[in-house]
Amino acid sequence: GLKKWVEVGNSGIFRPELLLPMGLPENVSVIAWGLSLERPTMIKYGINNIRELVGHRVNLQMVYDSPLCRLDT
């Protein structure tokens, strides 16, 4: 439905400087993964800035006007 390739299900390793404030030792590696559904949602609804999709800048009217589930794609 998006008519383009989109990365979904990305993963990675946290950088060491992000783990230090959590009190973890420097020799610890932490992996993270997720579905990354934000990207295809942003493309589908023409959102250019992720802060307009999640966070304090979300347009609540867009949330109210959009269907919860799209079965047409």
Side-chain angles (χ1 to χ4, degrees), residues 20-33:
L20 290 176
M22 296 180 205
L24 296 172
E26 290 185 23
N27 62 345
V28 170
S29 295
V30 176
I31 60 171
W33 62 89

Side-chain angles (χ1 to χ4, degrees), residues 15-70:
R15 296 189 330 237
E17 65 268 21
L18 296 175
L19 301 174
L20 290 176
M22 296 180 205
L24 296 172
E26 290 185 23
N27 62 345
V28 170
S29 295
V30 176
I31 60 171
W33 62 89
L35 289 178
S36 185
L37 297 177
E38 299 87 2
R39 291 177 184 164
T41 302
M42 289 173 67
I43 294 168
K44 182 74 177 175
Y45 290 103
I47 298 171
N48 294 320
N49 187 333
I50 194 167
R51 290 176 287 192
E52 295 174 13
L53 181 64
V54 294
H56 69 281
R57 293 178 58 185
V58 172
N59 177 357
L60 292 179
Q61 193 60 49
M62 178 191 74
V63 175
Y64 296 138
D65 294 342
S66 299
L68 292 176
C69 180
R70 292 188 63 120

